[in-house]
Amino acid sequence: EMRGQERVVLTVMAVYSDGRHEILHYEAVAAEDTQAWTTVLAALKRRGLDPSAVRMVVSDGSSGLPAALAKELPSAQQQRCVVHKIRGLERHFCYRDLLRTEPTTQAPLTFEQARRLRREQVTTDAHAIFLAPSRAEAAERLAAFQERWRAVEPEVVRQLTQGIESSFTFYQFDGALHRLVRSTNLLE
């Protein structure tokens, strides 16, 4: 009898300033821990990767990556994937003071419909932060998000704002690259 093993595939993709991108390395490992990431990054360096050429690394929030970056690519900044950050908010909704009618039609909403509407409204507002054309406008949108949602979804607001600076790293790059480097979606 054959049995599969649960594995994680660590993947490294380069995105160049002209928008080209390519997979540089991938490796199946047991976990996304510091040792696994250190091994992958060290292998890339042995193959000729210049650590000083790596300006930013986009990740889904892997806890093992920051320490590996500090050791192997110390000049690289980390960009937290904005899609994963927003998806992670899902488990923090409390659904306080839900709307009971649909805002445009005024039709009554069931409890489930009201919950769905709240999730859609919050995630739409959260995505809008990261779609801002500049870091300054993203900060303004974040402030508006906090103002709108703090009273009814305080934990969602806390989770989104916690470590938010690592989700704004992509603003250091040309706007044409933002859609490629603000999330890990290019790999998924």
Side-chain angles (χ1 to χ4, degrees):
E1 172 183 339
M2 291 181 54
R3 290 187 178 206
Q5 288 183 336
E6 181 113 357
R7 307 284 282 177
V8 176
V9 178
L10 301 183
T11 307
V12 178
M13 174 183 282
V15 177
Y16 302 99
S17 58
D18 63 1
R20 290 178 302 116
H21 48 278
E22 67 177 319
I23 301 284
L24 298 179
H25 185 85
Y26 62 92
E27 188 170 325
V29 297
E32 288 186 83
D33 59 14
T34 299
Q35 180 57 46
W37 275 113
T38 299
T39 300
V40 165
L41 297 175
L44 282 167
K45 287 170 46 180
R46 283 193 306 277
R47 289 177 35 210
L49 177 71
D50 175 5
S52 66
V54 180
R55 296 178 49 204
M56 183 175 72
V57 174
V58 184
S59 75
D60 62 4
S62 164
S63 60
L65 185 59
L69 285 177
K71 180 178 179 185
E72 300 295 334
L73 303 175
S75 62
Q77 294 183 291
Q78 189 170 6
Q79 164 67 35
R80 172 75 160 91
C81 172
V82 300
V83 173
H84 281 88
K85 185 156 186 73
I86 293 168
R87 281 184 197 153
L89 300 176
E90 179 70 28
R91 64 184 174 275
H92 299 286
F93 280 87
C94 67
Y95 301 106
R96 181 180 302 152
D97 299 331
L98 290 172
L99 294 176
R100 294 298 180 186
T101 58
E102 205 285 325
T104 54
T105 66
Q106 299 304 308
L109 295 172
T110 66
F111 180 68
E112 241 349 277
Q113 290 170 326
R115 286 170 46 114
R116 187 177 319 111
L117 178 62
R118 168 71 57 82
R119 284 191 308 270
E120 289 170 2
Q121 290 172 324
V122 170
T123 57
T124 297
D125 286 357
H127 279 290
I129 295 166
F130 304 108
L131 294 175
S134 69
R135 170 69 176 79
E137 189 169 331
E140 290 172 13
R141 291 180 185 188
L142 176 60
F145 179 93
Q146 291 171 301
E147 181 66 29
R148 179 175 183 190
W149 296 112
R150 182 181 290 119
V152 293
E153 294 295 349
E155 187 59 18
V156 168
V157 171
R158 191 183 78 69
Q159 289 295 321
L160 182 67
T161 56
Q162 182 178 354
I164 193 76
E165 287 304 316
S166 68
S167 296
F168 287 158
T169 308
F170 74 96
Y171 281 111
Q172 298 173 29
F173 296 87
D174 183 86
L177 294 176
H178 289 180
R179 67 178 182 77
L180 300 173
V181 299
R182 69 177 155 235
S183 76
T184 58
N185 283 2
L186 196 56
L187 282 173
E188 294 175 354

